[in-house]
Amino acid sequence: MSATPQKNRASRRVLAAAAGLATVGALVAAMPAGAHDRGHGHGGGHGHGHKPRTVDVQLLSFNDLHGNLEPPAGSAGNVSETQPDGTVKAIPAGGVEYLATSLRTARKGNPYSVTAAGGDMVGASPLLSGLFHDEPTIEALNGLDLDVTAVGNHEFDEGATELARLQNGGCHPVEGCYEKGKKFKGADFPYLAANVTKEKTGKPLLKPYTVWKKNGVKIGFIGVTLEGTPNIVTANGVKGLKFHDEVETINKYARELDRKGVKSIVALIHEGGAPASTSYNYDCDSPGAGDGISGPIVDIAKGITPKVDALVTGHTHQAYVCTVPDPSGKPRMVTSASSFGKLYTDTTLTYDRRTKDIVRTSVKSANHVVTRDQPKAPDMTRLIDRWNKLAAPIANKPQGWISADINGRGSTAPEKPLGNVIADAQLEGLAPADKGGAEVAFMNPGGIRADLVHKASGSEGDGVVTYGEAFTVQPFTNMMNVVDLTGAQLVSALQQQVSGPNEASPKILQVSKGLTYTLDLTKSGADRVVAGTIKLNGEAIDPARTYRVAMNEFLAGGGDGFPALGQGTNKLVGASDLDLFNAYLAAHSTAAAPLAPPATDRITVIQ
């Protein structure tokens, strides 16, 4: 999911001030020794005697965890399940205490089991992980016995040096070590980034692939992120890096693995698709193979060499288990397990010892819910408790009150109640002349990472919004910009929501009060935004007039496919988005008069 990546500056300052943390030196972007060929080897072997010709390898996979160690709150923590009678039921899911139990239970009786992930394990994380630069999540993934993951776009939120630190360990260069006498060990699984190279040398940033081995069984894993990562990450995050075509890169390394005698290959791809149904148990091979899925992953899957036996994908936060034909026309499994640890995929790969390849006709796969009615893994509970104690002084501070859930991430509508609150907070904070003189504010939908949930998350009481909850909604701590844009550029920006790179999957900006227009989804491309209906405070937008527009620095850089927003001039840099959000909550709510969910009447949608 695209979002507004940026370093968590505010949280850093708070923590550094609170703990007086030491500085450590620069970090090296080398992989840990021995991370190339490995296997946790869950379970034992088959014993002595004759080895059968085939062996079933269990591939467990998940994607887009985004540091959600605790169960995600509200609607963002549900998965949809279609019942036998056709009705759809919401099931609460996720949380690493349950994910650990699910994976450990699934591995029982499977001597050949490997666990892989499809990227975005960290980044845009709730406060519990984000405050500590996602060290808690890496520690949790080590405990989950993750064998390998691809990088996602969010692994680049804080740049290549910080990604190298997550891989190799070492304390934060600014904040030092978070726990006395404890040095961060880094990931004990390899991060794969086959299609990311350093501009200066042309060499891969991290390992392109790894080979999992057990008792003569060998499976190669190639990991890539989406080629379009630079369009959805701040410029600082991808500085000095080049991102290459996913298909060409995977095909290149599949040939290399094949030459080395590794015939069984799985691609881990941080790019995905959209199934026709949001239910995790939807059959996207109905009526034919892959008929029920669309989006970038379909063309990618059709272009990847038949040498690759299965594709584990991510990025779109969707749930699917499909077969998409490979270039030779044979069906091949393509899977994705929603997000936030709410599902895991269990795929059976039948390995032929003679050919060293996967018997493709017998590949079976299914998504399973990480339910919250199973026992919690005690080691994960201890990990969460430990980090929560460190975060508590900051996390538990009340910021405001709400009268009911205000949905953001959990809303599927173009205009989201929480999007309106955030845009209004940005406009209010930046409208004064000395703060930028903003007349309108835009918020990108991917930057809203959660809902504001009325039910208490801890001991704060129902309706109280804590700093931790506000941070979970806006975890990037992006600095706000106010710029000059012409009316013509404003209209172009609104049209770019539904055209160009955003045509296939629209990104509807959340707008501050006073801006209204009609979105006609029966039309195509830029025409979906009905130009004659765009008004600010009841007046038609004047193409020749200059407007002062507030947005986060990611959008102001043209991110998320909005080049028109990148054309702003006369820039003033304001407070962070999180600071403005918290200030708005404080100004507009009390225990006696909590903030109510706003009406969603700014965008008139015709469907």
Side-chain angles (χ1 to χ4, degrees):
M1 283 299 198
S2 63
T4 46
Q6 190 43 278
K7 300 182 180 180
N8 300 325
R9 295 192 187 92
S11 61
R12 271 197 192 150
R13 285 198 297 273
V14 177
L15 249 185
L21 299 162
T23 302
V24 296
L27 295 147
V28 187
M31 286 285 296
H36 182 61
D37 292 330
R38 57 177 303 176
H40 280 115
H42 312 295
H46 271 311
H48 302 293
H50 177 69
K51 282 182 177 173
R53 174 162 170 178
T54 63
V55 57
D56 281 350
V57 177
Q58 178 189 53
L59 170 62
L60 300 176
S61 57
F62 57 97
N63 50 277
D64 296 276
L65 181 65
H66 290 288
N68 279 264
L69 302 182
E70 294 174 297
S75 55
N78 293 335
V79 292
S80 298
E81 180 182 77
T82 301
Q83 305 302 299
D85 65 0
T87 58
V88 177
K89 182 179 170 187
I91 303 173
V96 294
E97 293 159 297
Y98 304 112
L99 180 60
T101 300
S102 287
L103 294 175
R104 288 164 189 171
T105 304
R107 287 174 191 143
K108 282 176 185 160
N110 289 285
Y112 293 83
S113 184
V114 56
T115 304
D120 276 7
M121 294 295 98
V122 301
S125 304
L127 187 91
L128 175 62
S129 187
L131 194 60
F132 306 105
H133 296 277
D134 283 312
E135 289 181 22
T137 296
I138 297 295
E139 194 181 306
L141 292 169
N142 289 344
L144 288 176
D145 277 343
L146 183 63
D147 288 299
V148 57
T149 184
V151 292
N153 52 291
H154 282 280
E155 265 81 17
F156 294 94
D157 283 357
E158 297 189 33
T161 306
E162 176 62 3
L163 173 55
R165 185 182 80 86
L166 290 180
Q167 176 72 82
N168 302 313
C171 298
H172 193 272
V174 176
E175 290 169 22
C177 300
Y178 295 114
E179 294 176 291
K180 203 174 177 185
K182 267 194 182 178
K183 186 183 163 192
F184 173 56
K185 292 190 173 110
D188 68 9
F189 51 88
Y191 259 114
L192 304 181
N195 65 332
V196 186
T197 57
K198 298 175 194 169
E199 270 177 359
K200 279 184 181 163
T201 63
K203 288 186 174 160
L205 175 70
L206 295 168
K207 282 224 179 294
Y209 60 80
T210 190
V211 180
W212 180 87
K213 297 176 182 175
K214 183 159 187 202
N215 298 342
V217 173
K218 284 194 275 190
I219 298 179
F221 288 89
I222 303 167
V224 297
T225 188
L226 72 158
E227 187 183 4
T229 293
N231 305 326
I232 53 174
V233 173
T234 50
N236 280 343
V238 293
K239 204 172 177 186
L241 302 176
K242 279 191 91 164
F243 291 76
H244 304 273
D245 183 82
E246 303 95 337
V247 175
E248 286 171 19
T249 304
I250 291 168
N251 289 351
K252 170 185 161 185
Y253 287 111
R255 285 193 298 273
E256 190 172 309
L257 281 166
D258 189 53
R259 280 199 303 272
K260 289 183 171 182
V262 179
K263 308 292 182 187
S264 298
I265 303 171
V266 175
L268 308 175
I269 307 172
H270 192 70
E271 178 60 290
S277 161
T278 54
S279 290
Y280 82 90
N281 57 341
Y282 164 68
D283 177 9
C284 63
D285 279 347
S286 173
D291 283 350
I293 188 168
S294 58
I297 199 62
V298 178
D299 287 339
I300 290 171
K302 286 177 178 172
I304 288 173
T305 170
K307 292 183 197 302
V308 174
D309 299 295
L311 277 52
V312 171
T313 73
H315 187 55
T316 56
H317 291 204
Q318 301 297 311
Y320 48 84
V321 173
C322 300
T323 55
V324 177
D326 71 15
S328 72
K330 285 190 185 141
R332 176 170 52 195
M333 200 58 79
V334 179
T335 69
S336 173
S338 183
S339 64
F340 301 171
K342 293 182 288 189
L343 297 176
Y344 71 92
T345 314
D346 189 337
T347 303
T348 302
L349 302 171
T350 301
Y351 182 91
D352 185 324
R353 289 183 184 276
R354 201 172 298 166
T355 63
K356 299 180 183 171
D357 208 347
I358 300 301
V359 184
R360 197 90 79 69
T361 51
S362 65
V363 174
K364 292 180 190 69
S365 190
N367 274 326
H368 300 277
V369 182
V370 176
T371 59
R372 298 185 200 164
D373 57 5
Q374 59 185 323
K376 295 179 178 183
D379 56 329
M380 294 296 153
T381 304
R382 285 193 299 273
L383 181 149
I384 287 168
D385 289 349
R386 213 179 82 231
W387 288 102
N388 261 333
K389 278 195 185 78
L390 285 176
I394 298 159
N396 297 339
K397 276 180 75 175
Q399 304 296 312
W401 290 263
I402 55 174
S403 64
D405 288 2
I406 305 180
N407 283 348
R409 177 59 93 186
S411 166
T412 54
E415 182 184 348
K416 305 170 193 309
L418 190 50
N420 287 358
V421 173
I422 290 168
D424 288 353
Q426 294 176 353
L427 177 62
E428 184 170 294
L430 300 171
D434 61 333
K435 303 287 189 204
E439 299 167 81
V440 63
F442 291 134
M443 174 65 193
N444 57 313
I448 306 168
R449 304 305 300 185
D451 301 335
L452 274 188
V453 178
H454 185 261
K455 190 177 187 302
S457 58
S459 57
E460 76 275 13
D462 290 351
V464 179
V465 180
T466 64
Y467 183 87
E469 289 165 341
F471 182 100
T472 297
V473 168
Q474 293 217 275
F476 300 109
T477 321
N478 263 311
M479 304 316 289
M480 291 300 299
N481 290 182
V482 186
V483 299
D484 283 350
L485 286 173
T486 65
Q489 287 168 328
L490 263 187
V491 172
S492 288
L494 291 172
Q495 289 172 331
Q496 285 163 3
Q497 299 176 112
V498 289
S499 62
N502 294 332
E503 180 158 7
S505 182
K507 289 197 176 82
I508 305 304
L509 295 165
Q510 306 299 289
V511 298
S512 56
K513 64 182 175 213
L515 187 79
T516 55
Y517 69 94
T518 297
L519 184 67
D520 187 347
L521 297 176
T522 65
K523 295 182 173 161
S524 61
D527 290 341
R528 291 172 180 168
V529 172
V530 185
T533 65
I534 305 170
K535 291 178 179 173
L536 184 59
N537 302 321
E539 287 184 21
I541 294 285
D542 176 354
R545 197 197 131 189
T546 296
Y547 295 84
R548 292 292 282 165
V549 183
M551 61 194 118
N552 58 50
E553 59 192 325
F554 171 64
L555 275 180
D560 257 359
F562 289 100
L565 295 180
Q567 293 165 358
T569 56
N570 194 17
K571 178 168 80 174
L572 184 139
V573 178
S576 77
D577 50 9
L578 182 61
D579 287 347
L580 292 181
F581 185 48
N582 284 330
Y584 186 85
L585 289 171
H588 291 271
S589 68
T590 62
L595 182 70
T600 49
D601 53 6
R602 299 169 191 184
I603 305 170
T604 303
V605 182
I606 300 171
Q607 283 179 312

